[in-house]
Amino acid sequence: MYPLRKTKSATTTASSFFSFIIVIIYITTLIHNISLQDRFIILRYWELILTGFFAVIHPYLLFPEENMSLLQALNPSPNELIRYQLRNQRYTILGITVIFLIISFWDLHGWQHSILLKVQYFLSSLLFIVGLFSYSYRKYISIGNESQAYQEGIKGERIRKFRDETGQMAVPIGAIPTMQTTIVIGIVGMLAVVFGAYLSNRLQMNMEWIPGFLLLAAGILPFSKIRKVFDHFFYQTNAFYKEYFTSPFSGGLQHANDYPYESVYWVPVKWRASTWSGIVQLDRAYPLGRFILLGHLFLWILFYHGSSQLIINGYLLLFIIFHNINIYLLTTSVMGKQSWNYRLQSISNWIWSRFFIQIRWFLPLILSLTVVMIFSSRFTIYSLLSWSAIYILSSLISSIFFTYLYEFRYQQTYD
Amino acid sequence: MNSAINKLMTDCNLKLIEVSKRYQMGPYVISDFSYEFETRSATALIGPNGSGKTTLMRILSTAAYPTSGKIMFGSLNIHEHPHQFLVSVGVVPDEPDLPQYLTAIELLEWILRSRNKWNGQSGDDINNLLDVLMLDERRNNVIGTYSSGMLKKTQIAVALITEPAVLLMDEPFRGLDEDSRTATMDLLIRFKKNNGLLILSSHMKTSLEPLCDNYITFPLNQNELTANN
């Protein structure tokens, strides 16, 4: 009757759409005149990026379930639960499909130029992503039991002992199965891309559909075994991630002095308190630092492999857009409802607080680009300054944009 | 198949077998807790904030999983087969978490249809239930406009509309005015008499006396449990 969907706020919808449009515009501007071979290389790079995306982000897309009490009331069957979760991810796959379509067919010489080859590579890339998606989904949906065992002390005694003795463990122990899964999916996905490219080069024909097909089989075949008891996996994994995402490090206990107020000394006093509280909340809820570190590593890999300027620029733009997710996340109700934020400080102060929260990643970006500049003659001081300016400007625009969607619209409604 | 399961489940007790729960490596909130909730009974979970009542309610509703131990509903392990268990269960969570753009009537219709319980009589059943709960003509307004008391009434209706065998209610009377509280209490007494199994958490021990047969005091102590019963 009413298909159950995750409800999205205006902020979520607008930010997703806006980011997507930027990516599409950038791709269409830059690829319309490139060679066929470059298109296929770009498709492979996208497959690599999306491997990283699904490896790291997928559990955040799936869990925790925000409609839990409604799901309990509706009590969908296992098959209905599967359909529900897949429906919630349809726009992700659709967005990727659109990107692949544009990369494959947006051609100054006409989309029908070398159409057979383009269709082949488009379909094999799509098959790869669908295969990767199903593989990742299968892995993450069944992770709850193991994760809870690590989280609550049933398993992982050696690791816990190591942490207690050495004090060296930056990762919550409950996250270990997730991390292992992330690494496995990342490695499998990357090897699949490399394997497909290798086969195609060796046999001088497109064999890149093979790894996609294998991934799909690796995802769907085991999934068919758990389909009938999917409800058990869904509820268990959701229960784990609900507790984990609420407080990954210590179950809600002993958070004092995790992030002292003094650590934001560099922020003007007027905005220091809300900047500090935003950083504390963000870092507890979302381990973005790891993603950003991975992003920098991937940038260095791209330069090391001598990737074209097109790819470097495209990647840097995406990377900066990803940074701006910080600000979007701050304008969700879990970080502070609109009514609460609105009472706390003015709209202009929210804009500046969020800007400074974003700016904390500026120094790592500068350092990373400086490393690139030192080791690569292609990246000049001009490039560094340009990308720095783009970062600062995008941070300011994002801060204004998301604050407009969140607090300003609230003010317009209720004042 | 669901009606067959429901019929089988109406005379089943809910049995907790050495259930423990902790969050990460924190102290155990519930430790080796064994207890049997019986049909035709109402049990109140009483205790201060943060003592574990909601944790137990979440475990009983399969929203959380125990660290160890199991919970049996008849011969069914509720965490191995949550969908089958939830066929017989109505849940009133503490937080109102209802879709903002449906009316109460539309929401109840959706639930009945989703559970394949909609028939020609259902429209009247919905209105009758909302009459008993004293949700007035605003049942035709969207839920996003409701007060906290109206939200609670809607949650209770959501739990009861499917005629469950087990009712799990976290603070069911919070936000209700005195007349509504009395009406809800009568409804729950009737539910219990019709072979229902009711577990609720509340701060208001004295006012639950007409309804509840048993009290479990939190934080849990197995030795004190027997004395309370």
Side-chain angles (χ1 to χ4, degrees):
Chain A
M1 185 181 146
Y2 302 108
L4 183 60
R5 292 194 179 95
K6 280 188 196 278
T7 50
K8 288 198 165 96
S9 65
T11 319
T12 306
T13 309
S15 58
S16 308
F17 186 68
F18 180 65
S19 306
F20 185 66
I21 293 298
I22 289 177
V23 168
I24 295 297
I25 290 171
Y26 183 76
I27 292 174
T28 51
T29 336
L30 290 170
I31 65 152
H32 65 283
N33 200 21
I34 61 171
S35 69
L36 213 52
Q37 203 52 39
D38 276 346
R39 280 175 201 278
F40 303 150
I41 290 173
I42 288 174
L43 278 172
R44 284 188 199 129
Y45 273 119
W46 268 95
E47 287 170 11
L48 284 174
I49 290 172
L50 290 167
T51 296
F53 174 79
F54 280 113
V56 175
I57 304 279
H58 211 170
Y60 295 90
L61 295 179
L62 295 169
F63 302 108
E65 176 52 56
E66 59 200 31
N67 288 319
M68 183 44 94
S69 57
L70 191 55
L71 278 182
Q72 287 172 320
L74 295 167
N75 194 25
S77 66
N79 281 340
E80 285 168 344
L81 272 174
I82 295 169
R83 280 201 290 275
Y84 167 68
Q85 282 213 307
L86 290 178
R87 227 174 14 240
N88 286 334
Q89 300 169 82
R90 66 195 186 287
Y91 289 124
T92 305
I93 299 295
L94 186 64
I96 293 168
T97 306
V98 169
I99 289 172
F100 282 1
L101 270 172
I102 290 172
I103 294 171
S104 303
F105 297 103
W106 190 265
D107 191 346
L108 195 63
H109 304 292
W111 60 268
Q112 67 275 27
H113 168 65
S114 302
I115 185 147
L116 281 178
L117 213 49
K118 283 175 179 172
V119 167
Q120 269 185 55
Y121 275 90
F122 166 71
L123 287 176
S124 58
S125 290
L126 198 60
L127 180 63
F128 175 85
I129 285 306
V130 170
L132 183 72
F133 170 87
S134 65
Y135 180 68
S136 169
Y137 183 47
R138 158 69 180 98
K139 283 248 171 240
Y140 278 120
I141 196 67
S142 52
I143 210 174
N145 188 38
E146 187 83 354
S147 299
Q148 189 179 353
Y150 272 87
Q151 172 111 316
E152 294 175 8
I154 309 294
K155 283 188 175 182
E157 198 175 317
R158 277 189 306 171
I159 296 170
R160 203 161 274 114
K161 202 174 165 196
F162 170 78
R163 183 197 60 186
D164 292 341
E165 284 169 3
T166 64
Q168 289 174 19
M169 191 84 188
V171 175
I173 289 177
I176 286 172
T178 300
M179 268 185 55
Q180 289 169 339
T181 303
T182 299
I183 292 167
V184 165
I185 294 171
I187 290 174
V188 165
M190 286 187 215
L191 284 177
V193 175
V194 168
F195 177 60
Y198 168 76
L199 270 184
S200 299
N201 284 336
R202 271 304 287 253
L203 301 173
Q204 291 298 305
M205 55 197 288
N206 179 14
M207 301 300 284
E208 295 188 41
W209 57 270
I210 291 180
F213 180 75
L214 290 173
L215 279 172
L216 192 63
I220 287 182
L221 287 175
F223 199 88
S224 61
K225 291 181 192 163
I226 68 166
R227 195 170 56 86
K228 286 187 178 163
V229 289
F230 183 81
D231 55 323
H232 164 72
F233 290 100
F234 173 81
Y235 281 100
Q236 172 137 54
T237 304
N238 183 67
F240 164 70
Y241 276 117
K242 170 87 180 163
E243 289 169 26
Y244 177 72
F245 286 140
T246 305
S247 193
F249 279 92
S250 58
L253 307 171
Q254 297 175 332
H255 277 306
N257 300 322
D258 278 355
Y259 304 96
Y261 181 78
E262 291 75 23
S263 62
V264 289
Y265 63 90
W266 45 275
V267 178
V269 170
K270 194 173 178 186
W271 303 305
R272 200 173 289 172
S274 45
T275 304
W276 168 73
S277 71
I279 290 173
V280 167
Q281 288 182 90
L282 262 184
D283 285 0
R284 281 182 188 153
Y286 307 105
L288 290 174
R290 281 161 230 179
F291 302 141
I292 290 173
L293 177 63
L294 279 174
H296 285 297
L297 283 172
F298 195 70
L299 176 70
W300 296 346
I301 290 170
L302 287 178
F303 269 102
Y304 176 74
H305 278 289
S307 305
S308 70
Q309 201 55 44
L310 174 74
I311 289 170
I312 299 282
N313 288 345
Y315 177 75
L316 272 169
L317 186 67
L318 279 179
F319 192 32
I320 286 175
I321 289 173
F322 176 77
H323 273 85
N324 284 287
I325 285 177
N326 270 305
I327 300 180
Y328 154 65
L329 291 171
L330 286 164
T331 57
T332 52
S333 61
V334 71
M335 295 283 166
K337 289 197 188 312
Q338 286 164 304
S339 54
W340 166 263
N341 285 0
Y342 183 62
R343 284 197 305 274
L344 213 52
Q345 63 180 9
S346 70
I347 286 168
S348 60
N349 284 338
W350 276 117
I351 291 172
W352 286 111
S353 302
R354 285 165 184 152
F355 174 73
F356 279 105
I357 291 171
Q358 186 66 348
I359 288 305
R360 68 177 173 138
W361 295 118
F362 183 57
L363 186 59
L365 179 73
I366 294 288
L367 291 172
S368 176
L369 293 179
T370 304
V371 167
V372 168
M373 192 175 69
I374 290 168
F375 289 100
S376 169
S377 55
R378 287 195 294 153
F379 199 82
T380 63
I381 183 73
Y382 174 73
S383 310
L384 189 147
L385 289 173
S386 304
W387 284 109
S388 301
I390 290 172
Y391 184 87
I392 302 273
L393 193 61
S394 67
S395 301
L396 194 55
I397 292 171
S398 298
S399 302
I400 295 169
F401 177 66
F402 289 116
T403 305
Y404 166 76
L405 286 177
Y406 205 57
E407 284 87 5
F408 183 73
R409 285 175 81 232
Y410 176 84
Q411 180 191 45
Q412 294 295 97
T413 309
Y414 292 104
D415 265 7
Chain B
M1 184 202 165
N2 281 348
S3 58
I5 288 173
N6 224 353
K7 200 167 178 200
L8 280 171
M9 294 299 183
T10 48
D11 289 324
C12 289
N13 294 343
L14 195 57
K15 197 171 176 186
L16 280 70
I17 303 168
E18 294 175 1
V19 169
S20 296
K21 177 66 182 172
R22 73 199 302 193
Y23 291 104
Q24 310 230 346
M25 294 303 290
Y28 277 88
V29 178
I30 298 169
S31 180
D32 285 329
F33 180 52
S34 297
Y35 191 82
E36 188 161 357
F37 297 97
E38 295 177 348
T39 53
R40 294 176 69 88
S41 78
T43 306
L45 312 181
I46 305 289
N49 299 331
S51 56
K53 303 189 300 297
T54 298
T55 297
L56 183 59
M57 294 297 270
R58 284 173 49 78
I59 290 172
L60 288 171
S61 68
T62 72
Y65 274 56
T67 304
S68 59
K70 58 184 176 182
I71 299 176
M72 304 299 292
F73 185 55
S75 59
L76 189 76
N77 182 323
I78 72 169
H79 291 102
E80 292 294 323
H81 306 281
H83 168 65
Q84 275 184 259
F85 173 60
L86 289 173
V87 165
S88 308
V89 177
V91 181
V92 178
D94 188 21
E95 291 297 319
D97 184 16
L98 301 170
Q100 300 287 295
Y101 295 104
L102 290 179
T103 66
I105 289 181
E106 287 166 345
L107 176 60
L108 295 175
E109 181 180 345
W110 183 17
I111 287 163
L112 284 174
R113 289 188 187 275
S114 176
R115 287 179 174 238
N116 297 317
K117 289 191 168 189
W118 180 266
N119 55 46
Q121 175 107 8
S122 297
D124 290 335
D125 290 342
I126 288 173
N127 278 310
N128 291 340
L129 179 59
L130 294 176
D131 286 340
V132 169
L133 289 167
M134 301 169 78
L135 187 64
D136 57 23
E137 69 280 359
R138 279 170 287 186
R139 63 184 72 171
N140 289 310
N141 294 357
V142 292
I143 290 168
T145 62
Y146 288 4
S147 65
S148 57
M150 290 162 69
L151 285 171
K152 188 56 78 176
K153 291 176 190 177
T154 307
Q155 281 183 292
I156 294 170
V158 161
L160 283 171
I161 194 64
T162 56
E163 296 175 339
V166 176
L167 255 187
L168 306 170
M169 308 176 96
D170 203 338
E171 300 285 355
F173 303 109
R174 185 187 288 165
L176 297 183
D177 56 58
E178 197 166 326
D179 288 343
S180 302
R181 209 177 296 155
T182 308
T184 305
M185 190 77 83
D186 290 340
L187 196 58
L188 294 177
I189 290 171
R190 281 206 302 277
F191 167 80
K192 187 181 76 169
K193 285 182 179 166
N194 287 335
N195 286 336
L197 191 165
L198 171 62
I199 304 169
L200 59 92
S201 81
S202 179
H203 296 111
M204 306 166 356
K205 185 175 177 180
T206 45
S207 57
L208 295 176
E209 277 159 13
L211 172 65
C212 291
D213 315 291
N214 306 302
Y215 299 87
I216 298 177
T217 306
F218 282 70
L220 287 172
N221 181 322
Q222 189 71 35
N223 292 331
E224 286 176 10
L225 211 55
T226 321
N228 279 339
N229 287 343

